[in-house]
Amino acid sequence: MHYACANGTDIEVVKILLDAYPDSKLTTDKRGRTPLHFALGNVENPPTPKLVKLLAGGESTKWPDENEMLPIHYACAYGATVEVLMVLIHAWEESMAKTDSKGRTPLHFAMG
């Protein structure tokens, strides 16, 4: 799932993977990143709102990486569209005020 999200795989493939292994939304790599982190960090194939909504269910929007960065930090750092940001905010509104390990909020990344 991480590889699929990092490389802009078609949403239908992601759906098939999720159907086969629903818990893959919360699996992490050695740096604590979920597939949602990978999708939001993909600047060559930016995620669509539909893909983000598919991956943002459950606790995945609340999952920090090794630097305490949430998916919304990645979205702001890598230039996600307003529509993608709205999906993330709707999934967990409190994420807008959460800080990473250096005290930065998503707004800090958006302004950077």
Side-chain angles (χ1 to χ4, degrees):
M1 180 65 82
H2 289 80
Y3 187 83
C5 291
N7 291 288
T9 301
D10 186 86
I11 192 169
E12 294 304 318
V13 173
V14 173
K15 286 179 184 178
I16 291 168
L17 293 171
L18 283 173
D19 285 343
Y21 184 47
D23 290 341
S24 65
K25 281 187 203 180
L26 292 179
T27 57
T28 59
D29 70 354
K30 64 182 177 181
R31 294 182 53 202
R33 298 173 295 183
T34 65
L36 183 56
H37 286 96
F38 275 84
L40 293 165
N42 187 340
V43 293
E44 290 184 25
N45 294 298
T48 64
K50 284 184 180 183
L51 176 64
V52 172
K53 189 170 186 174
L54 184 65
L55 295 171
E59 296 290 306
S60 64
T61 57
K62 299 178 182 180
W63 208 268
D65 71 5
E66 67 183 359
N67 296 310
E68 300 297 314
M69 288 178 66
L70 299 168
I72 196 163
H73 289 102
Y74 277 64
C76 291
Y78 291 101
T81 65
V82 170
E83 294 81 11
V84 164
L85 290 171
M86 293 307 298
V87 170
L88 293 169
I89 291 166
H90 182 71
W92 190 36
E93 189 172 334
E94 293 84 11
S95 67
M96 292 186 298
K98 298 295 181 183
T99 58
D100 70 358
S101 63
K102 294 182 180 179
R104 298 173 294 191
T105 65
L107 183 59
H108 288 104
F109 286 98
M111 300 303 290

